């Protein structure tokens, strides 16, 4: 059954790649982790925080109009759009990996969002401790759909939640892990720089936008309603 699943994944990937040429993106730089609120021009206000059962399963959202996949069905490095395919395989490995940790530090595509202004935003991260890749984990990437090149890459450790949301000039991402600080981040949509951050009670899992500046953030053990103010 496992072999059949692998073959099926290969057929799906191969079929999509045959329709649109695959762009294999070059290996990017791996910037250092974010250490502050950056320019601090975006502010978060927690309006409510409700404890939830940490054993409750969270359904991973699916990106609209896109498909994320990989040959083995578990490590996802392809993003399929309507008229493009990007291969993020060279984004998978940080320059250094802690001894014995390589099998856990494959940074796959977690979430992606295509915009109406010609940019594809893609989150890449692994699901173990950041120290396993010496802090180089959890990035947001901006891909120019016209040139098929990387426009910018955020600092590390800003994005490993199951999704992110876009506001006017800001992308709101979440990062956290066991025994690591858990934050919501505001990322500048044009530059990838940090514009603000908010300490969370536990690791963020999903982020949903409602109204124009209100968010519902589900963490490991809380559900928060948050107002965002861009300045």
């Amino acid at each position: 059954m496992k072999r059949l699943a692998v073959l099926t994944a290969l057929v799906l990937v191969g079929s999509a790649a045959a329709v649109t040429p695959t762009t294999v993106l070059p290996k990017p730089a791996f910037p250092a982790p974010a250490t502050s609120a950056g320019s601090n021009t975006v502010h978060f206000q927690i309006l409510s925080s409700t404890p939830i059962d940490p054993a409750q399963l969270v359904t991973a959202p699916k990106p609209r109009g896109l498909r994320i996949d990989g040959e083995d069905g578990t490590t996802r490095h392809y993003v399929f759009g309507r008229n493009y395919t990007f291969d993020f395989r060279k984004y998978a490995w940080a320059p250094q990996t802690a001894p014995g940790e390589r099998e856990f530090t494959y940074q796959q595509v977690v979430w992606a969002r295509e915009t109406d202004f010609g940019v594809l935003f893609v989150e890449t991260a692994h699901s173990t401790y950041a120290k396993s890749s010496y802090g180089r984990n959890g990035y947001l990437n901006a891909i120019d759909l016209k040139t098929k090149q990387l426009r910018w890459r955020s600092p590390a450790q800003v994005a490993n939640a199951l999704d992110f949301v876009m506001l006017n000039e800001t992308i709101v991402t979440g990062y956290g892990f066991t025994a690591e600080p858990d934050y919501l981040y505001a990322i500048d949509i044009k530059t990838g720089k940090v514009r603000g951050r908010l300490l969370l009670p536990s690791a963020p899992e999903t982020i949903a936008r409602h109204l124009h500046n209100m968010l519902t953030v589900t963490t490991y053990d809380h559900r928060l309603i948050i107002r965002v103010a861009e300045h």
Side-chain angles (χ1 to χ4, degrees):
M1 290 298 293
K2 184 176 180 181
R3 180 176 175 79
L4 179 60
V6 171
L7 290 174
T8 302
L10 281 168
V11 170
L12 288 172
V13 172
S15 299
V19 175
T20 57
T22 299
T23 300
V24 180
L25 295 166
K27 190 174 183 66
F30 282 75
T35 57
S36 71
S39 65
N40 201 28
T41 53
V42 174
H43 298 116
F44 298 101
Q45 179 186 7
I46 298 176
L47 302 182
S48 68
S49 178
T50 306
I52 60 175
D53 182 359
Q56 176 180 319
L57 294 177
V58 175
T59 302
K62 294 182 179 180
R64 186 187 309 168
L66 300 172
R67 185 162 61 89
I68 301 169
D69 212 336
E71 284 93 343
D72 63 4
T74 56
T75 52
R76 308 188 305 170
H77 51 259
Y78 290 109
V79 177
F80 300 103
R82 291 169 296 176
N83 55 6
Y84 58 81
T85 300
F86 286 106
D87 185 342
F88 286 84
R89 202 173 327 208
K90 294 183 179 180
Y91 284 52
W93 302 112
Q96 292 180 295
T97 302
E101 294 294 304
R102 185 171 174 82
E103 66 176 302
F104 308 111
T105 56
Y106 187 96
Q107 298 186 38
Q108 64 179 343
V109 175
V110 178
W111 178 259
R113 172 81 180 268
E114 181 181 339
T115 69
D116 58 5
F117 50 87
V119 177
L120 176 70
F121 293 110
V122 179
E123 175 186 335
T124 52
H126 63 60
S127 57
T128 190
Y129 296 100
K131 65 182 181 181
S132 297
S133 54
Y134 293 95
R136 268 52 177 182
N137 173 50
Y139 293 95
L140 186 64
N141 310 275
I143 307 299
D144 189 307
L145 291 177
K146 183 176 181 180
T147 64
K148 293 183 170 54
Q149 294 180 349
L150 178 68
R151 280 194 180 183
W152 54 253
R153 195 166 209 219
S154 72
Q157 295 181 43
V158 302
N160 71 347
L162 295 175
D163 61 357
F164 54 80
V165 299
M166 295 174 56
L167 303 181
N168 295 324
E169 300 296 326
T170 305
I171 302 172
V172 179
T173 64
Y175 181 88
F177 202 74
T178 305
E180 293 181 16
D182 307 309
Y183 282 103
L184 207 62
Y185 280 93
I187 305 297
D188 189 283
I189 205 167
K190 294 180 180 178
T191 66
K193 295 181 179 179
V194 175
R195 298 185 63 198
R197 71 178 184 179
L198 173 70
L199 185 64
L200 297 173
S202 54
E205 295 184 336
T206 62
I207 308 167
R209 177 186 179 184
H210 48 97
L211 301 178
H212 67 287
N213 67 339
M214 301 290 288
L215 306 176
T216 297
V217 177
T218 302
T219 75
Y220 170 71
D221 55 9
H222 281 76
R223 182 171 292 110
L224 301 97
I225 304 299
I226 298 171
R227 178 184 290 127
V228 186
E230 300 177 274
H231 300 290

